[in-house]
Amino acid sequence: MIEARELRKEYGGFVAVEGSSFSVERGEVFGVIGPNGAGKTTTLKMLAGLLEPTAGGAEVAGFDVGETEMRHHLGFLPEESPLYEEMTPKTYLRFFADLYDVDADVATERMNETLDDLDLQHRDRQLGDMSKGMKRKVAIARSLINDPEVLIYDEPASGLDPLTTNYIIEFTEQLAEDGKTVIFSAHNLFHVESICDRVAIMNEGEIVARGDLDRLQSEYGETTYHVYTTVEVPDSVRENGRYHRVVDSMAAVEGTREQAQDAGGEVVDIRTEQSSLEEVFLNVAESGRQRQ
Amino acid sequence: MNLRKLLRIARWEVTKNAGGLDRRTLVVVVVAIALVGVVAPVVGVGGVGVDEGIYRVAVDEDSQYYDVVANDSTFVVREPSDRAALEDGDIDLWIDGTGIDPADTRKGAAAFEELRESVTGYNNRQLSKETNQTAAFPVSVTVQFREQSQLSPGGDGDGSQSPGGDGGEQPPGGDGPTGDGGETPGDPPDTGGVDDSGEDPVDDGTDTGGSTGEGSGPGPSPGGFTGPLSEDELSGSPADINPPFPFQSLVLAFIFVIPLNFLIQAYGSTMLSERLNRRGELLLVSPVTRLDIIGGKTLPYFAGAMAVEGAISVGLVYVARGELGGLVSALAIAPLVLLFLGATFLGAMFARSFKELTFVTVTITVVLTSYAFVPAIFTDVGSLALISPLTLVVRDLQGEAVALQEFVFSTLPPFLSAVVFFGLGSGLYREEDMFDQRSLSGKVLDALAGPISRPYHVGVMTIVLIPFVFVIQLLAIALLFATGDISVPLILIVVAVVEEIAKSLHIYAAYDHNRFESTTRVAIILGIASGVGFFLGEKIALLAQLVGLPELATAEAGLSGGIVEGPIILLFLLAPLALHTVTAAVSAVGARTGRRSYVFGLAAAIALHFLYNFTVVESLV
């Protein structure tokens, strides 16, 4: 549904994105993460047809991103979506529905349905009088007014309170379950981890890692083993009448077992722990710095 | 471009602000506009009577000055009963049998001066009623204004002067002193040379020397004995000679320009507001083209302006000529409206804040109002005034016909300039340029480099810039031609600077954006492409010849398109081509390595261009 081929964007002598390639399947939720200035927004804007790639290309819903027709199949939500504050949600959404060639009756039905789902009240109030969260909901409703197959959301929950953030993340997850293809960026990696099937990690304009979360965790993360014994072993601490030792390999687990048996005790529990996406991301960023 | 979506955006542009205006404000705005619409033509035609009844004059009905005072609305007649009123300041002038005493105040002195002028006018009116006009006006002068290049020593022999015509036969084209019998004061002034036969159609030799003369038709005269708004005081005496200045029509024409200055404030604001806080980003990602957006947002302002200008046209023509009309004025003003909008649009694309936009719109107001208004002052002098479309409006208001080629000459350059402005601005109407805070110069270079990716694009861009060059050159001619002997060199300098910048700035922009390899060979190719483009585009100057503009020496120098004949025509055809390619190549070679070397290259090109033009003008003019 989304195919990016060696996307490159250069501003003067500054390379914002270098050789980004990835694909997103229909119904998939694809996350793009990275530190500030990594090239996430530039990548998403090239996919939305807002920025012309300096080199490379991309297709969205089977259309080249430069084609106007592609935009009929796309819902784009920029990180900042200042609205025309003199308008009301209704007039604003109807205006965009007209631009997307959506039939008036269909547009009205779709608008009401989406605003109901988003639990947006005060639909005749001017947008300028609304809270940031309400405005964000209107912006999301606008991105859905043409019932697009592909959604590109750049920091959809940026600057919102936790309650609204959770609401919007759950709503985005629901959109994916309804068959939409979603690609989005976020600073809050917990959100990415909770709803994304696959992610791409960007750093300094390049995709430094990509794949499903399990693969990234195994490649860039760590598995730690928490071994609990009945007797004291080296590097252990006493917890609730047991001794707790953290090791990073199965060989070390085996060594701990032998040490416990030599001391007349035994291993009573072993727990494994995977790195979070945040730790994976930090490890990738750190390895990038070391390469430099 | 999708017309339906363009119109939808236009409708949105009109209605999106509707919710922000309460009804009371709306009513106040409508009433204010209506008042301006009604009052402006009345004020324009009649003027504001600010000097009515400002001087109080004590004069007796028996005084010889009574009629003078009573017939001048500047004065209020008071009964001369108590002379103390003069000292108290209640009376400004005291007239009795012993003389005229002004109050010992500045107002009293002004009243005295006003009375002096009023007496002169009164005397002229009285004299004009005399049956023996020769006795009343022993000296009569007819002034004929001609193009500068048509002037020649030794007189023109139009036989238009006569201190006391004898009514007899005159040799065709006979010289002045024994012409056709002179002018009758109060008649429409003679444009000169009409009656070449020397025969006076009325004067049969039995009258006393006056005659009906030849009029130039209704409306203000192109010169001669026409005082602004005071035709009723004409005597034909040398004191009445005034320059040809269509004051009244010019004031009326200025009314057309006023709404445009308000219009661009609103238009600039709406364009800039799309850029601030990324408001316009969502329109850019919608399935519409940037032309749909720009066209849709511009259309309401253009339509609104044309509605206002159309109403002003109809109203003023009706007031000025007492008939329905104004189509020529409305059509003439349309490219000016587009030019104001186009310049504002480009300015709004460059400005980074409303503060900068204010500077931009004020600059546009000053420059374009000067462009429209200054040449129109010379409407009755010659074809030079046709540089401005406002000249067509003045002529329309005077009831004069406008030829098609004159209309095209006046309106095509501003129209094409507006197209260039919109074209350059639309190049910036994209994500990368709309929402960043780059410098003005950076955005200018962006706008110029945007469409260039191949060498021939350089030539095309040069052609696109020609109308802009043409307008600046014509404006320079209008502003500088009155500077006397130095006008030609000054204009040649302006021409060289403007043309060389137009030929090279986009080459520099292209190099700045790494569009081309920075080798000398490529730079020369780009220079040749630009030079050839300019040579082709410059032929638009031929339009000037259709209305005889090159008859002015300064215009000929400025447009460098003199009419040549004979075997040297090939030389004169190829020499400009060589000049433009060489100078453009010089600039391009400089442009390939950076800003400083571009400035040096440009300076060298300008110097070469000036020397060439100066040599050609010196040998031809």
Side-chain angles (χ1 to χ4, degrees), chain A residues 9 45 51 71 82 84 86 98-99 101, chain B residues 4-5 8 274 277-278 281 284 286 431:
Chain A
K9 185 64 187 177
K45 284 185 175 175
L51 291 176
R71 299 176 187 176
Y84 296 105
E86 313 85 352
D98 284 345
L99 296 186
D101 299 319
Chain B
R4 190 187 65 77
K5 291 183 180 179
R8 179 64 182 94
E274 288 293 302
N277 299 321
R278 297 181 169 271
E281 194 170 54
L284 286 176
S286 304
E431 170 81 19

mmCIF file with all atom_site columns, all heavy atoms in Angstrom, chain A residues 9 45 51 71 82 84 86 98-99 101, chain B residues 4-5 8 274 277-278 281 284 286 431:
data_model
loop_
_atom_site.group_PDB
_atom_site.id
_atom_site.type_symbol
_atom_site.label_atom_id
_atom_site.label_alt_id
_atom_site.label_comp_id
_atom_site.label_asym_id
_atom_site.label_entity_id
_atom_site.label_seq_id
_atom_site.pdbx_PDB_ins_code
_atom_site.Cartn_x
_atom_site.Cartn_y
_atom_site.Cartn_z
_atom_site.occupancy
_atom_site.B_iso_or_equiv
_atom_site.pdbx_formal_charge
_atom_site.auth_seq_id
_atom_site.auth_comp_id
_atom_site.auth_asym_id
_atom_site.auth_atom_id
_atom_site.pdbx_PDB_model_num
ATOM 1   N N   . LYS A 1 9   ? 16.019  13.621 0.469   1.00 0.00 ? 9   LYS A N   1
ATOM 2   C CA  . LYS A 1 9   ? 15.624  15.023 0.453   1.00 0.00 ? 9   LYS A CA  1
ATOM 3   C C   . LYS A 1 9   ? 16.784  15.870 0.921   1.00 0.00 ? 9   LYS A C   1
ATOM 4   O O   . LYS A 1 9   ? 17.351  15.651 1.994   1.00 0.00 ? 9   LYS A O   1
ATOM 5   C CB  . LYS A 1 9   ? 14.407  15.264 1.365   1.00 0.00 ? 9   LYS A CB  1
ATOM 6   C CG  . LYS A 1 9   ? 13.869  16.684 1.285   1.00 0.00 ? 9   LYS A CG  1
ATOM 7   C CD  . LYS A 1 9   ? 13.337  17.004 -0.091  1.00 0.00 ? 9   LYS A CD  1
ATOM 8   C CE  . LYS A 1 9   ? 12.956  18.451 -0.247  1.00 0.00 ? 9   LYS A CE  1
ATOM 9   N NZ  . LYS A 1 9   ? 12.512  18.758 -1.615  1.00 0.00 ? 9   LYS A NZ  1
ATOM 10  N N   . LYS A 1 45  ? 6.158   13.684 4.897   1.00 0.00 ? 45  LYS A N   1
ATOM 11  C CA  . LYS A 1 45  ? 5.665   14.705 3.961   1.00 0.00 ? 45  LYS A CA  1
ATOM 12  C C   . LYS A 1 45  ? 5.993   14.359 2.507   1.00 0.00 ? 45  LYS A C   1
ATOM 13  O O   . LYS A 1 45  ? 5.256   14.726 1.598   1.00 0.00 ? 45  LYS A O   1
ATOM 14  C CB  . LYS A 1 45  ? 6.245   16.070 4.337   1.00 0.00 ? 45  LYS A CB  1
ATOM 15  C CG  . LYS A 1 45  ? 5.544   16.663 5.563   1.00 0.00 ? 45  LYS A CG  1
ATOM 16  C CD  . LYS A 1 45  ? 6.008   18.049 5.894   1.00 0.00 ? 45  LYS A CD  1
ATOM 17  C CE  . LYS A 1 45  ? 5.165   18.602 7.053   1.00 0.00 ? 45  LYS A CE  1
ATOM 18  N NZ  . LYS A 1 45  ? 5.639   19.916 7.497   1.00 0.00 ? 45  LYS A NZ  1
ATOM 19  N N   . LEU A 1 51  ? 6.239   17.334 -0.055  1.00 0.00 ? 51  LEU A N   1
ATOM 20  C CA  . LEU A 1 51  ? 7.621   17.652 -0.418  1.00 0.00 ? 51  LEU A CA  1
ATOM 21  C C   . LEU A 1 51  ? 8.033   16.791 -1.603  1.00 0.00 ? 51  LEU A C   1
ATOM 22  O O   . LEU A 1 51  ? 7.738   15.594 -1.640  1.00 0.00 ? 51  LEU A O   1
ATOM 23  C CB  . LEU A 1 51  ? 8.559   17.383 0.761   1.00 0.00 ? 51  LEU A CB  1
ATOM 24  C CG  . LEU A 1 51  ? 8.441   18.297 1.974   1.00 0.00 ? 51  LEU A CG  1
ATOM 25  C CD1 . LEU A 1 51  ? 9.382   17.817 3.080   1.00 0.00 ? 51  LEU A CD1 1
ATOM 26  C CD2 . LEU A 1 51  ? 8.761   19.730 1.603   1.00 0.00 ? 51  LEU A CD2 1
ATOM 27  N N   . ARG A 1 71  ? -3.983  11.836 -3.732  1.00 0.00 ? 71  ARG A N   1
ATOM 28  C CA  . ARG A 1 71  ? -4.465  12.510 -2.524  1.00 0.00 ? 71  ARG A CA  1
ATOM 29  C C   . ARG A 1 71  ? -5.908  12.128 -2.188  1.00 0.00 ? 71  ARG A C   1
ATOM 30  O O   . ARG A 1 71  ? -6.347  12.298 -1.057  1.00 0.00 ? 71  ARG A O   1
ATOM 31  C CB  . ARG A 1 71  ? -4.348  14.023 -2.696  1.00 0.00 ? 71  ARG A CB  1
ATOM 32  C CG  . ARG A 1 71  ? -2.900  14.437 -2.915  1.00 0.00 ? 71  ARG A CG  1
ATOM 33  C CD  . ARG A 1 71  ? -2.785  15.906 -3.175  1.00 0.00 ? 71  ARG A CD  1
ATOM 34  N NE  . ARG A 1 71  ? -1.412  16.247 -3.555  1.00 0.00 ? 71  ARG A NE  1
ATOM 35  C CZ  . ARG A 1 71  ? -1.019  17.447 -3.916  1.00 0.00 ? 71  ARG A CZ  1
ATOM 36  N NH1 . ARG A 1 71  ? -1.887  18.447 -3.951  1.00 0.00 ? 71  ARG A NH1 1
ATOM 37  N NH2 . ARG A 1 71  ? 0.228   17.668 -4.246  1.00 0.00 ? 71  ARG A NH2 1
ATOM 38  N N   . PRO A 1 82  ? -2.989  23.671 12.470  1.00 0.00 ? 82  PRO A N   1
ATOM 39  C CA  . PRO A 1 82  ? -3.809  24.848 12.739  1.00 0.00 ? 82  PRO A CA  1
ATOM 40  C C   . PRO A 1 82  ? -4.981  24.912 11.765  1.00 0.00 ? 82  PRO A C   1
ATOM 41  O O   . PRO A 1 82  ? -4.803  24.709 10.569  1.00 0.00 ? 82  PRO A O   1
ATOM 42  C CB  . PRO A 1 82  ? -2.848  26.012 12.526  1.00 0.00 ? 82  PRO A CB  1
ATOM 43  C CG  . PRO A 1 82  ? -1.753  25.471 11.709  1.00 0.00 ? 82  PRO A CG  1
ATOM 44  C CD  . PRO A 1 82  ? -1.672  24.018 11.979  1.00 0.00 ? 82  PRO A CD  1
ATOM 45  N N   . TYR A 1 84  ? -8.692  26.640 10.209  1.00 0.00 ? 84  TYR A N   1
ATOM 46  C CA  . TYR A 1 84  ? -9.237  27.958 9.893   1.00 0.00 ? 84  TYR A CA  1
ATOM 47  C C   . TYR A 1 84  ? -10.193 28.306 11.028  1.00 0.00 ? 84  TYR A C   1
ATOM 48  O O   . TYR A 1 84  ? -11.336 27.838 11.046  1.00 0.00 ? 84  TYR A O   1
ATOM 49  C CB  . TYR A 1 84  ? -9.919  27.950 8.537   1.00 0.00 ? 84  TYR A CB  1
ATOM 50  C CG  . TYR A 1 84  ? -8.934  27.676 7.427   1.00 0.00 ? 84  TYR A CG  1
ATOM 51  C CD1 . TYR A 1 84  ? -8.882  26.448 6.791   1.00 0.00 ? 84  TYR A CD1 1
ATOM 52  C CD2 . TYR A 1 84  ? -8.017  28.654 7.058   1.00 0.00 ? 84  TYR A CD2 1
ATOM 53  C CE1 . TYR A 1 84  ? -7.953  26.196 5.800   1.00 0.00 ? 84  TYR A CE1 1
ATOM 54  C CE2 . TYR A 1 84  ? -7.081  28.411 6.058   1.00 0.00 ? 84  TYR A CE2 1
ATOM 55  C CZ  . TYR A 1 84  ? -7.065  27.185 5.438   1.00 0.00 ? 84  TYR A CZ  1
ATOM 56  O OH  . TYR A 1 84  ? -6.132  26.931 4.461   1.00 0.00 ? 84  TYR A OH  1
ATOM 57  N N   . GLU A 1 86  ? -11.907 30.678 11.994  1.00 0.00 ? 86  GLU A N   1
ATOM 58  C CA  . GLU A 1 86  ? -13.166 31.409 11.843  1.00 0.00 ? 86  GLU A CA  1
ATOM 59  C C   . GLU A 1 86  ? -14.317 30.458 11.521  1.00 0.00 ? 86  GLU A C   1
ATOM 60  O O   . GLU A 1 86  ? -15.478 30.837 11.599  1.00 0.00 ? 86  GLU A O   1
ATOM 61  C CB  . GLU A 1 86  ? -13.066 32.434 10.702  1.00 0.00 ? 86  GLU A CB  1
ATOM 62  C CG  . GLU A 1 86  ? -11.818 33.288 10.700  1.00 0.00 ? 86  GLU A CG  1
ATOM 63  C CD  . GLU A 1 86  ? -10.630 32.644 10.003  1.00 0.00 ? 86  GLU A CD  1
ATOM 64  O OE1 . GLU A 1 86  ? -10.706 31.456 9.641   1.00 0.00 ? 86  GLU A OE1 1
ATOM 65  O OE2 . GLU A 1 86  ? -9.641  33.327 9.840   1.00 0.00 ? 86  GLU A OE2 1
ATOM 66  N N   . ASP A 1 98  ? -15.930 18.831 -0.062  1.00 0.00 ? 98  ASP A N   1
ATOM 67  C CA  . ASP A 1 98  ? -16.112 19.315 -1.435  1.00 0.00 ? 98  ASP A CA  1
ATOM 68  C C   . ASP A 1 98  ? -14.827 19.190 -2.234  1.00 0.00 ? 98  ASP A C   1
ATOM 69  O O   . ASP A 1 98  ? -14.845 18.802 -3.403  1.00 0.00 ? 98  ASP A O   1
ATOM 70  C CB  . ASP A 1 98  ? -16.567 20.776 -1.424  1.00 0.00 ? 98  ASP A CB  1
ATOM 71  C CG  . ASP A 1 98  ? -18.035 20.907 -1.050  1.00 0.00 ? 98  ASP A CG  1
ATOM 72  O OD1 . ASP A 1 98  ? -18.742 19.883 -1.092  1.00 0.00 ? 98  ASP A OD1 1
ATOM 73  O OD2 . ASP A 1 98  ? -18.466 22.030 -0.715  1.00 0.00 ? 98  ASP A OD2 1
ATOM 74  N N   . LEU A 1 99  ? -13.716 19.539 -1.597  1.00 0.00 ? 99  LEU A N   1
ATOM 75  C CA  . LEU A 1 99  ? -12.436 19.470 -2.322  1.00 0.00 ? 99  LEU A CA  1
ATOM 76  C C   . LEU A 1 99  ? -12.076 18.024 -2.660  1.00 0.00 ? 99  LEU A C   1
ATOM 77  O O   . LEU A 1 99  ? -11.390 17.757 -3.641  1.00 0.00 ? 99  LEU A O   1
ATOM 78  C CB  . LEU A 1 99  ? -11.316 20.101 -1.498  1.00 0.00 ? 99  LEU A CB  1
ATOM 79  C CG  . LEU A 1 99  ? -11.440 21.600 -1.211  1.00 0.00 ? 99  LEU A CG  1
ATOM 80  C CD1 . LEU A 1 99  ? -10.184 22.117 -0.518  1.00 0.00 ? 99  LEU A CD1 1
ATOM 81  C CD2 . LEU A 1 99  ? -11.683 22.396 -2.484  1.00 0.00 ? 99  LEU A CD2 1
ATOM 82  N N   . ASP A 1 101 ? -14.251 15.832 -3.435  1.00 0.00 ? 101 ASP A N   1
ATOM 83  C CA  . ASP A 1 101 ? -15.342 15.326 -4.288  1.00 0.00 ? 101 ASP A CA  1
ATOM 84  C C   . ASP A 1 101 ? -16.237 14.327 -3.559  1.00 0.00 ? 101 ASP A C   1
ATOM 85  O O   . ASP A 1 101 ? -16.723 13.356 -4.155  1.00 0.00 ? 101 ASP A O   1
ATOM 86  C CB  . ASP A 1 101 ? -14.784 14.661 -5.563  1.00 0.00 ? 101 ASP A CB  1
ATOM 87  C CG  . ASP A 1 101 ? -13.983 15.644 -6.402  1.00 0.00 ? 101 ASP A CG  1
ATOM 88  O OD1 . ASP A 1 101 ? -14.415 16.801 -6.531  1.00 0.00 ? 101 ASP A OD1 1
ATOM 89  O OD2 . ASP A 1 101 ? -12.914 15.250 -6.911  1.00 0.00 ? 101 ASP A OD2 1
ATOM 90  N N   . ARG B 2 4   ? -14.294 23.929 -10.982 1.00 0.00 ? 4   ARG B N   1
ATOM 91  C CA  . ARG B 2 4   ? -15.255 23.739 -9.897  1.00 0.00 ? 4   ARG B CA  1
ATOM 92  C C   . ARG B 2 4   ? -14.580 23.912 -8.528  1.00 0.00 ? 4   ARG B C   1
ATOM 93  O O   . ARG B 2 4   ? -15.122 24.595 -7.648  1.00 0.00 ? 4   ARG B O   1
ATOM 94  C CB  . ARG B 2 4   ? -15.868 22.330 -9.987  1.00 0.00 ? 4   ARG B CB  1
ATOM 95  C CG  . ARG B 2 4   ? -17.044 22.121 -9.056  1.00 0.00 ? 4   ARG B CG  1
ATOM 96  C CD  . ARG B 2 4   ? -17.508 20.677 -9.064  1.00 0.00 ? 4   ARG B CD  1
ATOM 97  N NE  . ARG B 2 4   ? -16.516 19.761 -8.527  1.00 0.00 ? 4   ARG B NE  1
ATOM 98  C CZ  . ARG B 2 4   ? -16.256 19.606 -7.221  1.00 0.00 ? 4   ARG B CZ  1
ATOM 99  N NH1 . ARG B 2 4   ? -16.912 20.331 -6.330  1.00 0.00 ? 4   ARG B NH1 1
ATOM 100 N NH2 . ARG B 2 4   ? -15.337 18.763 -6.814  1.00 0.00 ? 4   ARG B NH2 1
ATOM 101 N N   . LYS B 2 5   ? -13.407 23.345 -8.404  1.00 0.00 ? 5   LYS B N   1
ATOM 102 C CA  . LYS B 2 5   ? -12.710 23.472 -7.120  1.00 0.00 ? 5   LYS B CA  1
ATOM 103 C C   . LYS B 2 5   ? -12.196 24.891 -6.902  1.00 0.00 ? 5   LYS B C   1
ATOM 104 O O   . LYS B 2 5   ? -12.184 25.396 -5.772  1.00 0.00 ? 5   LYS B O   1
ATOM 105 C CB  . LYS B 2 5   ? -11.568 22.454 -7.048  1.00 0.00 ? 5   LYS B CB  1
ATOM 106 C CG  . LYS B 2 5   ? -12.091 21.041 -6.943  1.00 0.00 ? 5   LYS B CG  1
ATOM 107 C CD  . LYS B 2 5   ? -11.004 20.019 -6.795  1.00 0.00 ? 5   LYS B CD  1
ATOM 108 C CE  . LYS B 2 5   ? -11.618 18.632 -6.688  1.00 0.00 ? 5   LYS B CE  1
ATOM 109 N NZ  . LYS B 2 5   ? -10.626 17.572 -6.572  1.00 0.00 ? 5   LYS B NZ  1
ATOM 110 N N   . ARG B 2 8   ? -15.038 26.743 -5.691  1.00 0.00 ? 8   ARG B N   1
ATOM 111 C CA  . ARG B 2 8   ? -15.358 26.347 -4.310  1.00 0.00 ? 8   ARG B CA  1
ATOM 112 C C   . ARG B 2 8   ? -14.427 27.053 -3.330  1.00 0.00 ? 8   ARG B C   1
ATOM 113 O O   . ARG B 2 8   ? -14.848 27.514 -2.264  1.00 0.00 ? 8   ARG B O   1
ATOM 114 C CB  . ARG B 2 8   ? -15.222 24.821 -4.175  1.00 0.00 ? 8   ARG B CB  1
ATOM 115 C CG  . ARG B 2 8   ? -15.513 24.307 -2.766  1.00 0.00 ? 8   ARG B CG  1
ATOM 116 C CD  . ARG B 2 8   ? -16.965 24.569 -2.407  1.00 0.00 ? 8   ARG B CD  1
ATOM 117 N NE  . ARG B 2 8   ? -17.293 24.139 -1.053  1.00 0.00 ? 8   ARG B NE  1
ATOM 118 C CZ  . ARG B 2 8   ? -17.251 24.940 0.022   1.00 0.00 ? 8   ARG B CZ  1
ATOM 119 N NH1 . ARG B 2 8   ? -16.884 26.208 -0.120  1.00 0.00 ? 8   ARG B NH1 1
ATOM 120 N NH2 . ARG B 2 8   ? -17.592 24.488 1.207   1.00 0.00 ? 8   ARG B NH2 1
ATOM 121 N N   . GLU B 2 274 ? -2.297  32.192 5.224   1.00 0.00 ? 274 GLU B N   1
ATOM 122 C CA  . GLU B 2 274 ? -2.154  30.788 4.827   1.00 0.00 ? 274 GLU B CA  1
ATOM 123 C C   . GLU B 2 274 ? -0.773  30.253 5.202   1.00 0.00 ? 274 GLU B C   1
ATOM 124 O O   . GLU B 2 274 ? -0.593  29.055 5.417   1.00 0.00 ? 274 GLU B O   1
ATOM 125 C CB  . GLU B 2 274 ? -2.341  30.643 3.311   1.00 0.00 ? 274 GLU B CB  1
ATOM 126 C CG  . GLU B 2 274 ? -3.760  30.808 2.820   1.00 0.00 ? 274 GLU B CG  1
ATOM 127 C CD  . GLU B 2 274 ? -4.660  29.686 3.290   1.00 0.00 ? 274 GLU B CD  1
ATOM 128 O OE1 . GLU B 2 274 ? -4.371  28.527 2.998   1.00 0.00 ? 274 GLU B OE1 1
ATOM 129 O OE2 . GLU B 2 274 ? -5.664  29.988 3.965   1.00 0.00 ? 274 GLU B OE2 1
ATOM 130 N N   . ASN B 2 277 ? 1.741   29.806 10.772  1.00 0.00 ? 277 ASN B N   1
ATOM 131 C CA  . ASN B 2 277 ? 1.310   28.627 11.543  1.00 0.00 ? 277 ASN B CA  1
ATOM 132 C C   . ASN B 2 277 ? 0.905   27.458 10.649  1.00 0.00 ? 277 ASN B C   1
ATOM 133 O O   . ASN B 2 277 ? 0.105   26.618 11.046  1.00 0.00 ? 277 ASN B O   1
ATOM 134 C CB  . ASN B 2 277 ? 0.145   28.980 12.469  1.00 0.00 ? 277 ASN B CB  1
ATOM 135 C CG  . ASN B 2 277 ? 0.547   30.039 13.468  1.00 0.00 ? 277 ASN B CG  1
ATOM 136 O OD1 . ASN B 2 277 ? 1.655   30.010 13.978  1.00 0.00 ? 277 ASN B OD1 1
ATOM 137 N ND2 . ASN B 2 277 ? -0.341  30.985 13.725  1.00 0.00 ? 277 ASN B ND2 1
ATOM 138 N N   . ARG B 2 278 ? 1.380   27.457 9.421   1.00 0.00 ? 278 ARG B N   1
ATOM 139 C CA  . ARG B 2 278 ? 1.135   26.343 8.490   1.00 0.00 ? 278 ARG B CA  1
ATOM 140 C C   . ARG B 2 278 ? -0.344  26.129 8.191   1.00 0.00 ? 278 ARG B C   1
ATOM 141 O O   . ARG B 2 278 ? -0.783  25.005 7.946   1.00 0.00 ? 278 ARG B O   1
ATOM 142 C CB  . ARG B 2 278 ? 1.733   25.045 9.051   1.00 0.00 ? 278 ARG B CB  1
ATOM 143 C CG  . ARG B 2 278 ? 3.225   25.095 9.208   1.00 0.00 ? 278 ARG B CG  1
ATOM 144 C CD  . ARG B 2 278 ? 3.798   23.802 9.728   1.00 0.00 ? 278 ARG B CD  1
ATOM 145 N NE  . ARG B 2 278 ? 5.254   23.822 9.614   1.00 0.00 ? 278 ARG B NE  1
ATOM 146 C CZ  . ARG B 2 278 ? 5.924   23.410 8.542   1.00 0.00 ? 278 ARG B CZ  1
ATOM 147 N NH1 . ARG B 2 278 ? 5.277   22.939 7.507   1.00 0.00 ? 278 ARG B NH1 1
ATOM 148 N NH2 . ARG B 2 278 ? 7.236   23.480 8.511   1.00 0.00 ? 278 ARG B NH2 1
ATOM 149 N N   . GLU B 2 281 ? -1.233  24.298 4.890   1.00 0.00 ? 281 GLU B N   1
ATOM 150 C CA  . GLU B 2 281 ? -0.651  22.993 4.590   1.00 0.00 ? 281 GLU B CA  1
ATOM 151 C C   . GLU B 2 281 ? -1.711  21.970 4.176   1.00 0.00 ? 281 GLU B C   1
ATOM 152 O O   . GLU B 2 281 ? -1.497  21.156 3.285   1.00 0.00 ? 281 GLU B O   1
ATOM 153 C CB  . GLU B 2 281 ? 0.116   22.486 5.810   1.00 0.00 ? 281 GLU B CB  1
ATOM 154 C CG  . GLU B 2 281 ? 1.019   21.325 5.503   1.00 0.00 ? 281 GLU B CG  1
ATOM 155 C CD  . GLU B 2 281 ? 1.945   21.020 6.670   1.00 0.00 ? 281 GLU B CD  1
ATOM 156 O OE1 . GLU B 2 281 ? 1.427   20.835 7.782   1.00 0.00 ? 281 GLU B OE1 1
ATOM 157 O OE2 . GLU B 2 281 ? 3.171   20.966 6.479   1.00 0.00 ? 281 GLU B OE2 1
ATOM 158 N N   . LEU B 2 284 ? -2.739  22.259 0.679   1.00 0.00 ? 284 LEU B N   1
ATOM 159 C CA  . LEU B 2 284 ? -1.710  21.760 -0.232  1.00 0.00 ? 284 LEU B CA  1
ATOM 160 C C   . LEU B 2 284 ? -1.758  20.245 -0.382  1.00 0.00 ? 284 LEU B C   1
ATOM 161 O O   . LEU B 2 284 ? -1.368  19.706 -1.413  1.00 0.00 ? 284 LEU B O   1
ATOM 162 C CB  . LEU B 2 284 ? -0.320  22.167 0.273   1.00 0.00 ? 284 LEU B CB  1
ATOM 163 C CG  . LEU B 2 284 ? 0.071   23.631 0.103   1.00 0.00 ? 284 LEU B CG  1
ATOM 164 C CD1 . LEU B 2 284 ? 1.433   23.886 0.730   1.00 0.00 ? 284 LEU B CD1 1
ATOM 165 C CD2 . LEU B 2 284 ? 0.102   24.025 -1.355  1.00 0.00 ? 284 LEU B CD2 1
ATOM 166 N N   . SER B 2 286 ? -4.505  18.536 -0.173  1.00 0.00 ? 286 SER B N   1
ATOM 167 C CA  . SER B 2 286 ? -5.812  18.164 -0.728  1.00 0.00 ? 286 SER B CA  1
ATOM 168 C C   . SER B 2 286 ? -5.679  17.930 -2.238  1.00 0.00 ? 286 SER B C   1
ATOM 169 O O   . SER B 2 286 ? -4.718  18.385 -2.849  1.00 0.00 ? 286 SER B O   1
ATOM 170 C CB  . SER B 2 286 ? -6.829  19.281 -0.489  1.00 0.00 ? 286 SER B CB  1
ATOM 171 O OG  . SER B 2 286 ? -6.902  19.585 0.870   1.00 0.00 ? 286 SER B OG  1
ATOM 172 N N   . GLU B 2 431 ? 5.049   23.683 0.011   1.00 0.00 ? 431 GLU B N   1
ATOM 173 C CA  . GLU B 2 431 ? 5.451   23.398 1.394   1.00 0.00 ? 431 GLU B CA  1
ATOM 174 C C   . GLU B 2 431 ? 6.824   23.965 1.743   1.00 0.00 ? 431 GLU B C   1
ATOM 175 O O   . GLU B 2 431 ? 7.014   24.607 2.774   1.00 0.00 ? 431 GLU B O   1
ATOM 176 C CB  . GLU B 2 431 ? 5.429   21.875 1.590   1.00 0.00 ? 431 GLU B CB  1
ATOM 177 C CG  . GLU B 2 431 ? 6.038   21.387 2.875   1.00 0.00 ? 431 GLU B CG  1
ATOM 178 C CD  . GLU B 2 431 ? 5.109   21.499 4.064   1.00 0.00 ? 431 GLU B CD  1
ATOM 179 O OE1 . GLU B 2 431 ? 3.900   21.613 3.850   1.00 0.00 ? 431 GLU B OE1 1
ATOM 180 O OE2 . GLU B 2 431 ? 5.608   21.485 5.203   1.00 0.00 ? 431 GLU B OE2 1
#
